[in-house]
């Protein structure tokens, strides 16, 4: 019996006190920020019907969902992100609410995938959804809030890359790429296979100028001036609109005083396929994966019967924790508080003292039996308490 | 180390036949370091002046180093890249290390058509790619994962066929095996971490541009 080993399922993890404390601290700071910006927190069930997650424009990759069969014999799945559950809420529960809806969440989500750095099968996300506004001000508010969210979490060095999915689509339309080829090209780009991407372009029967423009898309990265280069390439309404809109959003972001964190990446395509307009990701050096990702999804809600534009983002809590550790600025608050010990018959006095100090904001650990002063000092020192108070 | 992280470009190179070809090509565009050798005892070889770090790893580990961002870019064979299914940017076909992936069977026990091998055992280092191929052919197979000397499989009765990389075909001939299906052509690729490709974009873009020029000029 002495050799029992209790494992936890693949992709799950425990947070021990130090980690749990830091996680809670970060979540509290982000929650406070979201609330100050007028985003109200919602909590949705961990499980949804598979049909809900596989509905319409947002078809989750079914192989990545963790599924089981419910009592009513329908398949249920653990939520793989929070955008779909919130879209369901907006369509079903907030039918008569005034718009825009501003909702936030801090939740665990689940993906049946290979473990990555800062991402187990269960991981935590903090995010917002802004539903019912199509404006550039809405785009900018969400991107600015993402920047402030990452700053509030304590990350100092990071960049948010912004692009638009309609720019890529517009350029492909402009050179009359057949829709099946265009879709293939986007998928290849999404898989980040630029070798295959260029190979497909080379096989197309379009002008040399068109080929050069398409090949340039993944390399359109940089600060504001990249928009000028992109503007010269944009010859149809869709691609030009994408650039004008990005320029407008950028000027609003300057007013938010976050432009130093912003760069552009017109080849950006996010893994979720429901995005329609602006998309963005945040990166920090030394962490090989994005800290945060988001974008506009104007069609998802219409599939749920309520045609409303929407935009949102999610920050990966574990990735923030990892990045902070890398930056060497973890908020690991080592203080363990005060140990209150007491002589025989002094317990009631000690309880009153503990109450007084707790009210003053101190962390108090009260002894559970009487001991002599020497024992108390020894115990307090061994267990790393900041201070020992002994009642004689 | 964090302060330097953004300044340095870390390159993962695989041990083995791709190493010297990669090092030579990178040298042509100014990416080299003193004592850059496969046999070096040092695991990280730096060029402080040019702010480059090389790490030399086992072939199959290159995509992992790059996916996690421990290396910003790397050179790796397409076969290993495909099999690893890692989330990295595939930036450039470097042209060298050309070989192909194929299915081979013992000459004296050859069956009439490919589909006659359905439900048999195939020995391979690349079960994912092999499965993708056979599924497309409408075939179900039993995959026996081996890590080397794949040709041995059919000889000792471990499998009916093999899926493996072939350069010249000499090994096949020696072991009395015959290629019956060509699965894909393979070359070495330049790969990049998805975050590095943004945060160190100017450097990586310049490197890709220089390499493209050299590859185009090559006969």
């Amino acid at each position: 019996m002495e050799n029992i080993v209790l494992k936890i399922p693949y992709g799950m993890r425990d947070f021990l006190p130090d980690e749990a404390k830091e996680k809670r601290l970060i979540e509290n700071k982000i929650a406070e920020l979201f609330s100050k910006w007028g985003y109200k927190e919602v909590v949705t069930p961990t499980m949804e019907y598979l049909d809900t997650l596989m509905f319409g424009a947002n078809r989750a990759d079914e192989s990545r969902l963790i599924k089981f069969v419910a009592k009513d014999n329908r398949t249920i799945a653990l939520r793989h992100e929070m955008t779909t559950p919130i879209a369901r809420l907006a369509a079903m529960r907030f039918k008569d609410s005034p718009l825009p809806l501003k909702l936030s969440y801090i939740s665990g989500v689940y993906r049946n995938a290979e473990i990555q750095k800062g991402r187990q099968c269960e991981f935590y996300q903090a995010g917002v959804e802004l539903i019912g506004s199509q404006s550039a001000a809405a785009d900018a508010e969400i991107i600015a809030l993402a920047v402030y969210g990452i700053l509030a979490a304590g990350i100092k060095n990071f960049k948010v890359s912004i692009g638009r999915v309609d720019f890529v689509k517009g350029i492909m339309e402009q050179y009359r790429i057949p829709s099946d080829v265009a879709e293939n090209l986007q998928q290849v780009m999404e898989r980040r296979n630029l070798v295959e991407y260029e190979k497909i372009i080379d096989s197309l029967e379009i002008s040399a100028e068109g080929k050069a423009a398409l090949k340039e898309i993944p390399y359109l990265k940089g600060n504001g001036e990249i928009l000028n280069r992109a503007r010269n390439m944009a010859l149809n309404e869709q691609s030009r609109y994408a650039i004008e809109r990005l320029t407008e959003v950028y000027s609003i972001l300057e007013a938010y005083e976050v432009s130093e964190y912003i760069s552009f990446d017109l080849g950006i395509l996010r893994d979720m396929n429901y995005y329609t307009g602006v998309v963005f990701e945040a990166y920090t050096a030394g962490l090989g994966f994005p800290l945060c990702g988001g974008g506009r999804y104007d069609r998802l809600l219409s599939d749920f019967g309520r045609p409303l534009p929407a935009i949102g983002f999610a920050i990966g809590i574990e990735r923030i924790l990892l990045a902070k550790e890398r930056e060497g600025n973890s908020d690991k608050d080592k203080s363990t508080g005060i140990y209150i010990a007491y002589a025989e018959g002094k317990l009631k006095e000690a309880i009153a003292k503990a109450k007084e100090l707790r009210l003053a904001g101190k962390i108090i650990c009260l002894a559970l039996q009487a001991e002599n002063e020497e024992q108390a000092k020894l115990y307090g020192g061994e267990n790393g308490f900041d201070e020992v108070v002994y009642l004689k | 180390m964090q302060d330097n992280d953004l300044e340095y470009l870390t390159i993962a190179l695989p041990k083995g036949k791709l190493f010297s070809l990669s090092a030579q090509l990178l040298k042509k565009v100014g990416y080299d370091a003193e004592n850059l050798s496969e046999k070096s005892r040092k695991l990280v070889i730096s060029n402080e002046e040019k702010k480059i770090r090389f790490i030399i790893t086992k072939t199959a580990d290159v995509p992992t180093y790059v996916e996690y961002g421990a290396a910003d870019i790397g050179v790796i064979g397409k076969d290993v890249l495909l099999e690893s299914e890692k989330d990295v940017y595939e930036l450039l076909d470097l042209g060298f290390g050309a070989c192909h992936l194929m299915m081979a069977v013992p000459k004296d026990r050859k069956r009439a058509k490919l589909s006659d091998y359905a439900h048999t055992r195939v020995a391979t280092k690349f079960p994912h790619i092999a499965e993708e191929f056979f599924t497309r052919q409408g075939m179900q197979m039993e995959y026996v994962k081996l890590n080397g000397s794949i040709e041995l499989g059919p000889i000792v009765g471990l499998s009916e066929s093999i899926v493996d990389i072939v350069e010249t075909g000499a090994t096949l001939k020696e072991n009395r095996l015959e290629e019956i299906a060509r699965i894909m052509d393979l070359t070495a690729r330049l790969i990049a971490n998805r975050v590095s490709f943004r945060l160190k974009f100017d450097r990586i873009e310049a490197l890709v541009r220089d390499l493209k020029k050299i590859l185009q000029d090559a006969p």
Side-chain angles (χ1 to χ4, degrees), chain B residues 17 98-100 102 165-174 179:
Chain B
K17 62 182 181 198
C99 54
H100 69 276
M102 53 93 237
I165 301 275
V166 171
E167 262 174 284
T168 61
T171 319
L172 287 185
K173 213 174 248 175
E174 265 169 39
E179 176 174 335

Side-chain angles (χ1 to χ4, degrees), chain A residues 41-81:
Chain A
E41 183 171 356
V42 289
V43 178
T44 71
T46 308
M47 298 181 276
E48 296 273 351
Y49 280 119
L50 178 66
D51 300 348
T52 308
L53 302 181
M54 296 297 293
F55 205 76
N58 172 32
R59 296 186 57 79
D61 177 354
E62 200 183 332
S63 68
R64 294 180 68 188
L65 295 174
I66 299 176
K67 291 171 287 189
F68 24 99
V69 177
K71 228 166 139 183
D72 59 4
N73 210 25
R74 286 179 67 183
T75 308
I76 53 179
L78 301 182
R79 60 184 175 214
H80 65 303
E81 39 93 300

Side-chain angles (χ1 to χ4, degrees), chain B residues 37-68:
Chain B
S37 146
E38 204 183 345
K39 293 181 184 72
S40 165
R41 277 164 186 275
K42 273 169 76 180
L43 298 172
V44 181
I45 300 163
S46 311
N47 181 336
E48 299 297 333
E49 186 199 338
K50 292 184 176 169
K51 306 257 185 259
I52 305 167
R53 272 194 288 255
F54 287 95
I55 52 181
I56 303 168
T57 79
K58 220 179 150 191
T59 309
D61 294 336
V62 169
T64 307
Y65 278 86
V66 174
E67 187 190 38
Y68 275 58

Side-chain angles (χ1 to χ4, degrees), chain A residues 114-117 158-159 161 189-196 198-199 215 218-222 226 229 265 267-271 281-290 319 325-328, chain B residues 2-3 5-6 66-70 72 78 81-82 84-94 185 187-190 192-202 204-205 208-209 212 216:
Chain A
E114 197 161 321
I115 292 172
Q116 297 177 329
K117 186 160 64 174
F158 66 94
K159 279 273 181 209
S161 278
M189 205 195 278
E190 212 177 287
R191 288 204 310 267
R192 306 179 231 290
N193 186 343
L194 302 188
V195 172
E196 182 69 22
E198 295 191 5
K199 213 176 268 173
K215 284 184 187 178
Y219 292 95
L220 286 171
K221 303 189 201 302
I226 216 76
R229 224 165 99 197
D265 181 351
I268 208 173
L269 287 173
R270 305 247 320 128
D271 295 341
E281 283 182 343
Y283 312 105
T284 182
L287 187 68
F289 302 92
R319 289 187 174 172
E325 203 180 295
R326 303 249 152 167
E327 278 193 357
Chain B
Q2 265 70 48
D3 292 341
D5 256 347
L6 270 178
V66 174
E67 187 190 38
Y68 275 58
D72 298 309
K78 176 73 178 172
L81 185 59
L82 267 176
S84 72
E85 297 183 324
K86 297 286 183 198
D87 186 6
V88 295
Y89 269 97
E90 187 177 330
L91 293 180
L92 205 54
D93 183 343
L94 297 173
D185 292 311
T187 42
R189 304 294 153 102
L190 183 74
N193 173 266
R194 58 191 286 207
V195 172
S196 303
F197 191 45
R198 268 100 186 192
L199 294 182
K200 301 181 184 179
F201 176 70
D202 291 343
I204 296 176
E205 193 239 14
V208 168
R209 204 173 342 107
K212 268 186 182 164
Q216 268 160 16

Side-chain angles (χ1 to χ4, degrees), chain B:
Chain B
M1 179 151 163
Q2 265 70 48
D3 292 341
N4 297 338
D5 256 347
L6 270 178
E7 275 176 52
Y8 276 80
L9 195 71
T10 305
I11 305 174
L13 296 180
K15 285 181 185 163
K17 62 182 181 198
L18 291 182
F19 177 83
S20 58
L21 293 163
S22 316
Q24 277 164 26
L25 180 67
L26 287 168
K27 197 174 177 178
K28 285 186 195 160
V29 292
Y31 277 73
D32 58 354
E34 212 179 322
N35 302 322
L36 178 59
S37 146
E38 204 183 345
K39 293 181 184 72
S40 165
R41 277 164 186 275
K42 273 169 76 180
L43 298 172
V44 181
I45 300 163
S46 311
N47 181 336
E48 299 297 333
E49 186 199 338
K50 292 184 176 169
K51 306 257 185 259
I52 305 167
R53 272 194 288 255
F54 287 95
I55 52 181
I56 303 168
T57 79
K58 220 179 150 191
T59 309
D61 294 336
V62 169
T64 307
Y65 278 86
V66 174
E67 187 190 38
Y68 275 58
D72 298 309
I73 60 172
V75 174
I76 191 64
K78 176 73 178 172
D79 48 332
V80 178
L81 185 59
L82 267 176
E83 188 61 29
S84 72
E85 297 183 324
K86 297 286 183 198
D87 186 6
V88 295
Y89 269 97
E90 187 177 330
L91 293 180
L92 205 54
D93 183 343
L94 297 173
F96 57 73
C99 54
H100 69 276
L101 191 71
M102 53 93 237
M103 177 189 187
V105 299
K107 246 182 206 156
D108 47 2
R109 271 170 280 158
K110 199 175 140 185
R111 302 183 186 179
K113 8 183 240 304
L114 182 62
S115 56
D116 292 341
Y117 286 93
H119 304 287
T120 61
R121 294 163 302 174
V122 51
T124 183
K125 230 195 229 184
F126 307 98
H128 288 115
I129 315 179
E131 188 181 0
E132 167 103 29
F133 169 75
F134 288 113
T135 306
R136 275 173 204 272
Q137 314 298 319
M139 292 165 69
Q140 247 178 42
M141 302 292 279
E142 190 180 321
Y143 301 94
V144 181
K145 162 99 199 219
L146 293 179
N147 293 302
S149 304
I150 314 295
E151 315 80 34
L152 199 54
I155 296 173
V156 297
L158 183 61
S159 70
E160 278 70 41
S161 65
I162 64 167
V163 162
D164 201 14
I165 301 275
V166 171
E167 262 174 284
T168 61
T171 319
L172 287 185
K173 213 174 248 175
E174 265 169 39
N175 292 292
R176 305 179 52 75
L177 293 167
E178 188 182 322
E179 176 174 335
I180 61 163
R182 195 179 181 98
I183 298 175
M184 64 176 73
D185 292 311
L186 303 158
T187 42
R189 304 294 153 102
L190 183 74
I191 59 173
N193 173 266
R194 58 191 286 207
V195 172
S196 303
F197 191 45
R198 268 100 186 192
L199 294 182
K200 301 181 184 179
F201 176 70
D202 291 343
R203 251 187 117 171
I204 296 176
E205 193 239 14
L207 174 64
V208 168
R209 204 173 342 107
D210 291 348
L211 285 172
K212 268 186 182 164
K213 205 180 288 166
I214 286 187
L215 293 169
Q216 268 160 16
D217 293 346

Side-chain angles (χ1 to χ4, degrees), chain A residues 6 10 48 57 136 151 164 181 187 250 253 280 298 345 374:
Chain A
L6 298 173
Y10 177 84
E48 296 273 351
L151 285 169
R164 286 189 67 101
V181 179
Q187 277 172 11
Y250 187 62
L253 287 171
F280 58 95
D298 287 347
E374 210 172 304

Side-chain angles (χ1 to χ4, degrees), chain A residues 336-341 348-367 385-391:
Chain A
T336 41
I338 301 169
Y339 179 56
I340 298 185
K348 286 182 180 167
E349 215 173 290
I351 290 171
K353 183 76 181 164
K355 184 179 176 189
E356 175 198 326
L357 289 173
R358 281 178 184 136
L359 279 171
K362 303 282 188 212
I363 299 169
I364 302 300
C365 187
L366 184 61
F385 286 102
D386 299 333
E387 199 187 328
V388 175
V389 171
Y390 187 76
L391 300 174

